[in-house]
Amino acid sequence: MASLPAGAARRLLLSLVLCLSLSAAASAATTRHHEWEISYQLKSPDCVRKLAVTINGQSPGPTIRATQGDTIVVRVNNSLLTENAAIHWHGIRQIGTPWADGTEGVTQCPILPGDTFTYTFAVDRPGTYMYHAHYGMQRSAGLYGMIVVAAAPGGPDAEPFAYDGEHDVLLNDWWHDSTYEQAAGLASVPMRWVEEPQSLLINGRGRFNCSASAAAAAEEGTCNATLAECDAPVFDVVPGKTYRFRVGSLTSLCALNFEIEGHPMTVVEADGHYVKPFVVNNLNIYSGETYSVLIKADQDPNRNYWLASNVVSRKPGTPTGTAILSYAGGRSPPPTTPPAGPAWNDTMYRFRQSEATVAHPAHVEPPPPRANRTILLLNTQNKIDGRVRWALNNVSFKLPHTPYLVAMKRGLLGAFDQRPPPETYEYQSYNIYDPPPNPNATSSDGVYRLQFGSVVDVILQNANMLDANKSETHPWHLHGHDFWVLGYGIGRFDPKVHPATYNLKDPILKNTVAVHPYGWTALRFKADNPGVWAFHCHIEAHFFMGMGIVFEEGIERVAELPGEIMGCGKTKGGRH
Amino acid sequence: MASLPAGAARRLLLSLVLCLSLSAAASAATTRHHEWEISYQLKSPDCVRKLAVTINGQSPGPTIRATQGDTIVVRVNNSLLTENAAIHWHGIRQIGTPWADGTEGVTQCPILPGDTFTYTFAVDRPGTYMYHAHYGMQRSAGLYGMIVVAAAPGGPDAEPFAYDGEHDVLLNDWWHDSTYEQAAGLASVPMRWVEEPQSLLINGRGRFNCSASAAAAAEEGTCNATLAECDAPVFDVVPGKTYRFRVGSLTSLCALNFEIEGHPMTVVEADGHYVKPFVVNNLNIYSGETYSVLIKADQDPNRNYWLASNVVSRKPGTPTGTAILSYAGGRSPPPTTPPAGPAWNDTMYRFRQSEATVAHPAHVEPPPPRANRTILLLNTQNKIDGRVRWALNNVSFKLPHTPYLVAMKRGLLGAFDQRPPPETYEYQSYNIYDPPPNPNATSSDGVYRLQFGSVVDVILQNANMLDANKSETHPWHLHGHDFWVLGYGIGRFDPKVHPATYNLKDPILKNTVAVHPYGWTALRFKADNPGVWAFHCHIEAHFFMGMGIVFEEGIERVAELPGEIMGCGKTKGGRH
C-alpha cells in the first residue's frame, strides 16, 4: 500500500478513532431518537395505487434497530388531515411505562392531526418485535413496521445459535378497499365482510395482476405493473453462509405459511424468546407473531429461489406473495413456480408446529407451578342489534372513549362499565361444534381486574361460527406481558382433565398465540406489570367486532401519568 | 254534517286547542333541538357505491327548518372511527356565539370520535342557508345540508313576494375518489389534481352511467343504476301555482348553472337577502351561494320538465345533473334532452348576472359611505417547496392547530404567526394576464386584526394561474358577516379609479361572492361581530391549498369560551 500524505493520514486516523468510539457507544445502553411524520401518501405496494398511512413517506415504516437495554424515543407527528393516530410497540412490555403502549382507548387518547406525541420506552429483551397503529383499523392502512433488538454482547441473553448474516421479512395482507370502507362494511346491517385480500405483501411489496381478470379491469388507470415500487424484494445470500431470517406477520386477516424454496428452516426464536431448534420446510405464522429461522445457503448458486407467503386456515383467494432469494446478486425470477404452501385446511399440520415450539433448553424460564385464577373464555360469533359481532363468554368488547389507564388512575366515574365480565361459560353443556344456539350477546367495556403479582391462567376456547361447519384460527395477543404457552388442544377444554396435560417443563414464552379451529389454547402469565393491558384477537376486523378483553393490574403502582395521553372523553379540556 | 257523540266531540275540541297552541308557539321564538350522529355509510348517491360521511345515516343531512328568532341546538355525536369532525353553519352570523361557527382551527378544535359537541346559535334573519363540515376536505365526503329560516310572520323581514309552495334544491358535485385520496394528491409533488367530478348531485342524487365508458368499467361491481337511491329527485307542482325554489350550492369545485326547463325564474333572494327581482332563463350559482327563485307552473301539464345543473367556468367533464319537475305527479323523464346551460366560457354572461343582483328597493340596507381600511388581495397560484399552492399577496394560508379564538382570547403565545399578512400588492406593476413572474410564496397563519366597529373594504383581485391563459372563478365566503357587494370588474383594479364606480345605493348583502376570471370584486363590511372569522375561497381544494385569510375583531368582547371548543394544540389536556 502506498504511503499517505500527512494530512490524509491524520484524517484517516481521526476516522478510525471516531469509528471506534461509535462502536463502543453502540455496545453500551443508549437512547435512540426517532422523528416520525405520519401522513397519507398515494402508494402502489402491489402495483395498484392506493392511499396509505405512512411514516416518513414509507409503508412499512423504518425498522427500529437497537440493542437490549436501549431506550427508544419516537416523536410521532400526526400530519394526517382529519384523522388521529396511535402506535403500539408490539411485544415490548412497557415495564414502568404503561402509558407508552400506544393502545387507543386503553392507554392513551388518540394523537390529533397537528399534535406530537413522544413514546419513550426501554427494549429490555433482545428479539424480533413490531410496531403498528392501534386505532380503529388504521394498521390495515399501512402504518406498521419492525423492531429488531440485538442481544447485549456477552450478556446472558446472547443467542444460542450462530449465523453469518441476517434479513428481515415483514409479512402483510393488502386490500384495495380503504380501511374506512372496510370498517363501515363491518358495522353495516347486513354486514359487508372485507373478503380475501387482493395481495400478500413481503416487506411492503406485492404484485397484483393488472391485466388478468375482471377484478383487474376494475383497477384500470391505477394499476401499473412496471412501477419499481412493486418489484419483488430481493434477499442476497453468499453461498455456504448461514442466515438468520427474522420473520414477522402483521396481517389484518390471513394466517400465513412462509417458505424459502429449497431451504429448510431451523426455528430458533419466537416472539423474542429462544426456541428449542426444530426444522421445518415452511413456517406457519399468525398475525402478531415473529420468528427467527436459520437457513444455509447451500443450494445451486446459479439460480434464484422463491420466498413465498401463502394463505392457510381460510380458503385462499389471494395469489402467493413472493420475493427472491438471490445467490449471485441477480434480480431475475427463479425458473420455478413459487411454493404453494401446505393444504390450507390442514389444521393438524399447523397444530403440530404450534406444539413443537418450546423453550430452548438453555433458556427455559419455568412457569409458576399453579395459577391463582383461571379465566375460561369461549370465543363465539354473535349478533347484537342485527350486527355481527364476536364475543367472549357472550360479552362483545367495545373500547371506551376515555382511556382505561387514566379513568382508573384518576377514578373517573362512568368512564367504563364497572361490572366485571364473566370468568367462565357453561362448558359442560356447550357444543363447540354447533353454531351458537342463542347468538345474542351484550356489549361491554368492563375489565378483568387482576390482583397484582398473581398468576393468571387463560384458556381460549374456539367454537363454531354463526355458519355451520366453520371455525377459524384466532391469533391472540397480550399487551404488557409474555405468557407461557401451556398447551393446545382440539375440542372442548375440560378444566378437570386438560390442566394435567400442561407443559410446565419448557413452555415457550410468547406474546401472541394461535387458537386453532375448534381448539383451545391455555396460557399463563404473572400479573406483575402495573398498568392496563389489552388482550385480543390480532385479526383487525375481529378486534373491531369485539374479540378482545382488557386486564388491569397494580394501577395503584403506576407512576404519574403524562398529560399527553389525555385530552379525550372524560379527559377532554383538562376535566381530569 | 252529522252530530258527533260526546266523547268524539271532546277529543276533536282537544285536538283543535292543541293545534292552535302549537301554531301560536311556532310564531313565537322557540328552541329547536337536533340530535345528530355522524358516521360512515356506504352510499350510492350517483348509483356508484362510495363511503360517505353522513348525518343520521343520510347525505345530505336533514334540513333544519326554523323561524327567524329561533335558537337552534344541534348535538353532534361523532361516531366516525378514527376521524374528527366540525360543522359550520354557513350564512349564520353567530352574533354573540363565535365559538359555534364550526370552523376547525379558527373557532374550535375538532370533535373527536366518541365525543359530543353542542352547537347553539340563533337564526336572526330569514332566508336560505346551509351547513357543512369545515374540517380538512370533509365537506366533499357528504357532510352537508340546508337551513331554511322562515320570516317572522308580520315582521319587517317578511318576504316582498308571494308564492303558493316551495321546494329546496341543494346542488353539489361528487367524486368517486375519496376525500383522503384527493387531499393526498393535492399535497403531492407533483400535484395530483382532483380533476372534474364524476357526477353533479341534486339533493344528494345523481346518475353515473354504469355501462357506457371505460371509466364506468372501472366501477364494475359498485355501480348499480337500478338503485332507488339514485333515482332522480321529483319536484311536484300544481298547474297555475307559483313556487319558490330555494337553491343552494355546496360544490367542492364546480361553478354551476341551474335551469328549470321552460320556466323562467325570477330571482328574489340571495344569501338571505331580498333581491330587486329580475328574470333569468337560468341561474349561475357558485359554491357557498343560495338563491330563491320564483317560477310559475304555467307550461303544458301533460308532460314533465327537467331541472338541470351544468358546469360553467371550467370546461365541463361531467354530465348534466338532472331532476324532474312534475305537473301530474308522474315520475317519468321528460321527453326532451336536459338543458345544456350557457356556454361554459361565457364569462360576461355570468358577470352580468352578478351585477344584476342588487337589493330589493324595500329592503335596502345602505352601506357606510366609506371604509376605514382597504385590503387589496391579489389571488395567485404559486409554488412552495415544489407544491402547488394558492396565495393572497403571495402569502398562502395554513390553519394553525390551536384555534385562533382560544389562542387570542387566552393570549397563548406561539399559537400562530403574530406578523400581519400584507394589505396590498404591487398593483401598479403586476400583470394579471400573465402567470406569476415569481411563483414562490410563503405560508403563514397570520391574521388580519380589525378595529372593532371599523368599516373594511376588501378587493379580491383575480389573475392568471401558473399555466398561461387560465384564470378561474373563485367564490369567496366570509364567516360571521354579510358584506355589501360594491362592484365587480374585469381587469386590474385601480384604487384611484374604481372606487368611484361602487354601487353605494342598493348593493346586495351577501356572505359569498364570485370573483370572475381576470376580474375583481369589491366588498365592504362592518367589523362589529366579536370573534375570529375565516374568509376564503369556497372551492374545497382551493382553501386546502391556501386560498383564505382570517379576520379578528373585538376578541376582548367575546364572552367566556365554552370548554368544549378546546382540547387540541396548545389547549390539549387543559394547558389553556
Side-chain angles (χ1 to χ4, degrees):
Chain A
M1 189 177 161
S3 71
L4 291 165
R10 220 171 21 242
R11 283 197 295 277
L12 184 64
L13 189 66
L14 265 171
S15 303
L16 278 169
V17 168
L18 191 65
C19 185
L20 286 169
S21 59
L22 279 174
S23 310
S27 66
T30 184
T31 300
R32 298 176 187 273
H33 293 270
H34 300 270
E35 186 85 20
W36 285 3
E37 187 188 18
I38 312 293
S39 71
Y40 296 125
Q41 301 289 337
L42 291 160
K43 308 293 274 186
S44 300
D46 66 348
C47 309
V48 175
R49 193 172 65 229
K50 189 195 161 185
L51 195 70
V53 176
T54 64
I55 297 171
N56 297 343
Q58 300 303 316
S59 171
T63 298
I64 293 180
R65 294 184 194 281
T67 300
Q68 182 181 9
D70 287 352
T71 296
I72 308 294
V73 180
V74 186
R75 264 175 52 98
V76 176
N77 305 285
N78 181 359
S79 291
L80 302 173
L81 190 56
T82 56
E83 191 177 346
N84 308 310
I87 302 182
H88 170 58
W89 316 92
H90 184 110
I92 308 300
R93 290 175 296 168
Q94 304 290 353
I95 295 166
T97 54
W99 46 76
D101 191 48
T103 310
E104 187 272 335
V106 179
T107 64
Q108 71 165 98
C109 290
I111 311 168
L112 269 67
D115 271 2
T116 296
F117 188 101
T118 303
Y119 292 97
T120 304
F121 54 88
V123 285
D124 58 324
R125 298 187 39 84
T128 309
Y129 307 101
M130 302 182 289
Y131 63 81
H132 58 79
H134 212 298
Y135 183 49
M137 290 178 62
Q138 205 171 52
R139 182 180 100 214
S140 302
L143 210 174
Y144 70 105
M146 216 158 188
I147 304 173
V148 174
V149 183
D157 294 327
E159 290 91 350
F161 48 85
Y163 51 97
D164 302 303
E166 74 177 72
H167 287 297
D168 304 328
V169 177
L170 187 47
L171 306 174
N172 213 337
D173 43 15
W174 190 251
W175 282 258
H176 296 163
D177 276 356
S178 72
T179 59
Y180 320 101
E181 290 168 300
Q182 290 190 3
L186 291 174
S188 292
V189 179
M191 177 180 75
R192 187 186 298 276
W193 175 241
V194 300
E195 304 296 346
E196 300 306 308
Q198 275 66 61
S199 299
L200 297 178
L201 307 185
I202 296 180
N203 289 351
R205 290 168 177 222
R207 181 158 282 265
F208 188 74
N209 191 334
C210 295
S211 56
S213 61
E219 309 298 343
E220 193 205 3
T222 64
C223 198
N224 182 352
T226 67
L227 292 172
E229 201 181 338
C230 55
D231 276 352
V234 177
F235 298 87
D236 289 306
V237 292
V238 171
K241 298 289 183 182
T242 297
Y243 290 87
R244 176 182 191 171
F245 276 72
R246 296 178 183 265
V247 189
S249 171
L250 284 174
T251 52
S252 291
L253 173 64
C254 298
L256 296 176
N257 179 277
F258 175 72
E259 182 163 348
I260 304 178
E261 184 190 13
H263 294 75
M265 302 183 275
T266 305
V267 181
V268 292
E269 182 217 341
D271 294 4
H273 293 274
Y274 299 127
V275 170
K276 183 175 171 184
F278 65 103
V279 179
V280 295
N281 285 323
N282 51 59
L283 177 78
N284 301 304
I285 180 167
Y286 306 96
S287 180
E289 288 190 318
T290 67
Y291 290 93
S292 285
V293 296
L294 302 180
I295 66 159
K296 185 105 193 256
D298 58 3
Q299 296 299 300
D300 175 3
N302 295 310
R303 53 159 287 199
N304 291 339
Y305 299 84
W306 290 110
L307 277 70
S309 164
N310 283 293
V311 172
V312 287
S313 176
R314 297 175 61 90
K315 189 171 181 186
T318 314
T320 302
T322 54
I324 294 170
L325 186 79
S326 170
Y327 275 71
R331 266 66 192 129
S332 54
T336 45
T337 302
W344 69 269
N345 53 0
D346 188 349
T347 300
M348 289 317 294
Y349 175 74
R350 297 193 303 280
F351 184 88
R352 285 190 298 271
Q353 204 170 91
S354 290
E355 283 206 319
T357 309
V358 296
H360 189 282
H363 292 269
V364 171
E365 294 182 45
R370 60 190 58 80
N372 303 107
R373 180 172 174 184
T374 297
I375 299 170
L376 175 56
L377 297 172
L378 174 69
N379 220 329
T380 51
Q381 199 180 27
N382 299 70
K383 281 205 168 183
I384 300 179
D385 299 334
R387 282 190 172 75
V388 178
R389 300 280 297 171
W390 288 90
L392 286 312
N393 296 348
N394 255 24
V395 175
S396 184
F397 180 70
K398 58 174 183 191
L399 277 166
H401 291 296
T402 307
Y404 290 111
L405 191 60
V406 188
M408 290 177 177
K409 187 74 186 164
R410 303 276 170 105
L412 303 178
L413 293 174
F416 63 94
D417 193 339
Q418 297 296 319
R419 290 168 297 183
E423 301 273 306
T424 188
Y425 76 106
E426 294 272 350
Y427 58 86
Q428 294 93 337
S429 59
Y430 194 90
N431 182 352
I432 63 158
Y433 293 102
D434 275 353
N438 173 10
N440 286 335
T442 55
S443 285
S444 172
D445 51 13
V447 171
Y448 292 87
R449 306 194 76 149
L450 306 177
Q451 195 184 332
F452 185 73
S454 65
V455 176
V456 180
D457 277 7
V458 178
I459 295 99
L460 294 158
Q461 174 69 61
N462 211 339
N464 201 98
M465 297 168 65
L466 287 174
D467 290 342
N469 300 315
K470 223 172 151 190
S471 180
E472 294 185 344
T473 306
H474 302 289
W476 276 71
H477 172 61
L478 177 58
H479 293 224
H481 306 78
D482 295 329
F483 48 74
W484 290 274
V485 182
L486 300 185
Y488 300 89
I490 299 291
R492 188 169 61 191
F493 178 85
D494 187 333
K496 297 202 178 56
V497 173
H498 293 112
T501 68
Y502 286 168
N503 171 14
L504 299 177
K505 190 178 117 283
D506 61 355
I508 187 75
L509 278 158
K510 291 186 104 264
N511 60 61
T512 305
V513 71
V515 185
H516 292 286
Y518 298 111
W520 56 263
T521 300
L523 51 94
R524 179 169 294 177
F525 67 97
K526 213 168 165 198
D528 58 359
N529 189 9
V532 189
W533 309 107
F535 178 46
H536 59 92
C537 178
H538 211 258
I539 294 177
E540 196 80 328
H542 287 181
F543 183 46
F544 177 72
M545 294 163 81
M547 202 191 290
I549 61 173
V550 167
F551 294 117
E552 173 274 328
E553 67 208 46
I555 186 74
E556 68 286 352
R557 294 166 189 252
V558 171
E560 198 189 345
L561 301 175
E564 65 177 346
I565 68 171
M566 305 174 199
C568 60
K570 291 182 183 295
T571 70
K572 185 175 186 295
R575 287 204 301 272
H576 42 89
Chain B
M1 190 177 161
S3 71
L4 290 166
R10 217 167 29 237
R11 281 195 297 274
L12 185 65
L13 190 67
L14 263 171
S15 304
L16 278 168
V17 168
L18 190 66
C19 185
L20 286 167
S21 59
L22 279 175
S23 311
S27 65
T30 184
T31 300
R32 297 176 188 273
H33 293 271
H34 300 269
E35 187 85 20
W36 285 1
E37 187 189 18
I38 313 294
S39 71
Y40 296 124
Q41 301 289 338
L42 291 161
K43 309 292 275 185
S44 299
D46 67 346
C47 309
V48 176
R49 192 172 67 229
K50 188 195 161 185
L51 194 72
V53 176
T54 65
I55 297 171
N56 298 343
Q58 300 302 316
S59 172
T63 298
I64 292 180
R65 296 185 193 279
T67 300
Q68 182 182 9
D70 287 353
T71 296
I72 308 294
V73 179
V74 185
R75 265 173 53 96
V76 176
N77 305 286
N78 181 0
S79 292
L80 301 173
L81 189 57
T82 56
E83 190 178 347
N84 309 309
I87 302 182
H88 171 57
W89 315 93
H90 183 111
I92 308 299
R93 291 174 295 168
Q94 302 290 356
I95 295 166
T97 53
W99 46 76
D101 192 47
T103 311
E104 187 271 337
V106 178
T107 65
Q108 70 166 97
C109 291
I111 311 167
L112 269 68
D115 271 2
T116 297
F117 188 101
T118 303
Y119 291 97
T120 304
F121 54 88
V123 286
D124 59 323
R125 299 186 39 82
T128 310
Y129 306 100
M130 301 181 290
Y131 63 83
H132 58 80
H134 212 298
Y135 183 48
M137 290 177 63
Q138 205 172 53
R139 183 180 99 215
S140 303
L143 211 175
Y144 70 105
M146 218 159 186
I147 304 173
V148 174
V149 184
D157 293 328
E159 291 91 348
F161 49 85
Y163 50 97
D164 302 302
E166 73 178 72
H167 287 297
D168 303 328
V169 177
L170 187 47
L171 306 174
N172 213 337
D173 44 15
W174 191 250
W175 282 257
H176 295 164
D177 276 355
S178 73
T179 60
Y180 319 99
E181 289 167 302
Q182 290 190 3
L186 292 173
S188 293
V189 179
M191 177 181 75
R192 186 185 299 273
W193 174 241
V194 299
E195 303 297 345
E196 300 306 308
Q198 275 67 61
S199 299
L200 298 178
L201 306 185
I202 297 181
N203 290 352
R205 292 169 177 221
R207 181 159 281 265
F208 188 74
N209 191 333
C210 295
S211 56
S213 61
E219 308 298 341
E220 194 206 2
T222 66
C223 198
N224 181 353
T226 67
L227 292 172
E229 201 182 336
C230 56
D231 276 353
V234 177
F235 299 87
D236 289 306
V237 292
V238 172
K241 298 290 183 180
T242 297
Y243 290 87
R244 177 182 191 171
F245 276 74
R246 296 178 184 265
V247 190
S249 171
L250 283 174
T251 52
S252 291
L253 174 64
C254 298
L256 295 177
N257 179 277
F258 175 72
E259 182 164 346
I260 304 178
E261 185 191 12
H263 294 75
M265 302 183 275
T266 305
V267 181
V268 293
E269 183 217 343
D271 294 4
H273 294 274
Y274 299 127
V275 170
K276 184 174 171 182
F278 66 102
V279 178
V280 295
N281 285 324
N282 51 58
L283 176 78
N284 300 305
I285 179 165
Y286 304 96
S287 181
E289 288 190 319
T290 67
Y291 290 93
S292 285
V293 297
L294 302 181
I295 65 158
K296 186 105 193 257
D298 58 3
Q299 297 298 300
D300 175 3
N302 296 310
R303 54 158 286 198
N304 291 339
Y305 299 85
W306 290 111
L307 277 71
S309 165
N310 283 292
V311 172
V312 289
S313 177
R314 298 174 61 89
K315 188 171 181 185
T318 313
T320 301
T322 54
I324 294 170
L325 187 78
S326 170
Y327 274 72
R331 267 64 191 134
S332 54
T336 46
T337 302
W344 70 268
N345 54 1
D346 188 349
T347 300
M348 290 316 295
Y349 175 74
R350 297 193 302 281
F351 184 88
R352 285 191 298 271
Q353 204 171 92
S354 291
E355 282 207 318
T357 309
V358 296
H360 189 281
H363 291 268
V364 171
E365 293 182 45
R370 60 191 58 81
N372 302 106
R373 181 173 174 184
T374 298
I375 298 170
L376 176 56
L377 297 171
L378 175 69
N379 220 329
T380 50
Q381 199 180 27
N382 299 70
K383 281 204 168 183
I384 300 179
D385 299 333
R387 283 189 171 75
V388 179
R389 299 281 297 172
W390 288 90
L392 287 311
N393 298 346
N394 257 24
V395 175
S396 184
F397 179 71
K398 59 174 181 190
L399 277 168
H401 290 297
T402 306
Y404 290 111
L405 191 61
V406 187
M408 290 177 174
K409 187 74 186 166
R410 302 277 170 103
L412 304 178
L413 294 174
F416 63 94
D417 193 339
Q418 297 296 318
R419 290 167 298 182
E423 301 272 308
T424 187
Y425 75 106
E426 294 272 349
Y427 59 86
Q428 296 92 338
S429 59
Y430 194 90
N431 182 350
I432 63 158
Y433 294 102
D434 276 353
N438 173 9
N440 287 333
T442 55
S443 284
S444 173
D445 51 14
V447 172
Y448 292 87
R449 307 194 74 149
L450 307 176
Q451 196 186 333
F452 186 73
S454 66
V455 176
V456 180
D457 278 7
V458 178
I459 296 97
L460 293 159
Q461 175 69 61
N462 211 339
N464 201 98
M465 296 166 67
L466 288 173
D467 289 342
N469 301 315
K470 220 170 153 192
S471 182
E472 294 185 344
T473 307
H474 301 289
W476 276 71
H477 171 61
L478 178 57
H479 293 223
H481 307 78
D482 295 329
F483 48 73
W484 290 275
V485 182
L486 301 184
Y488 299 90
I490 299 290
R492 189 169 61 192
F493 178 84
D494 187 333
K496 298 206 176 55
V497 174
H498 292 113
T501 69
Y502 285 169
N503 172 16
L504 299 177
K505 191 177 117 285
D506 61 355
I508 187 74
L509 278 158
K510 289 186 107 267
N511 61 60
T512 305
V513 71
V515 184
H516 293 286
Y518 299 112
W520 56 263
T521 300
L523 52 94
R524 179 169 293 176
F525 67 96
K526 215 168 163 196
D528 58 0
N529 188 9
V532 189
W533 308 107
F535 179 46
H536 60 91
C537 178
H538 211 258
I539 292 175
E540 196 81 327
H542 287 181
F543 183 46
F544 177 73
M545 294 163 80
M547 201 190 291
I549 62 173
V550 166
F551 294 118
E552 173 273 328
E553 66 209 46
I555 187 75
E556 67 287 351
R557 295 166 188 253
V558 171
E560 197 188 346
L561 301 177
E564 65 177 346
I565 68 171
M566 306 175 198
C568 60
K570 290 182 184 294
T571 70
K572 184 175 186 295
R575 287 204 302 271
H576 43 90

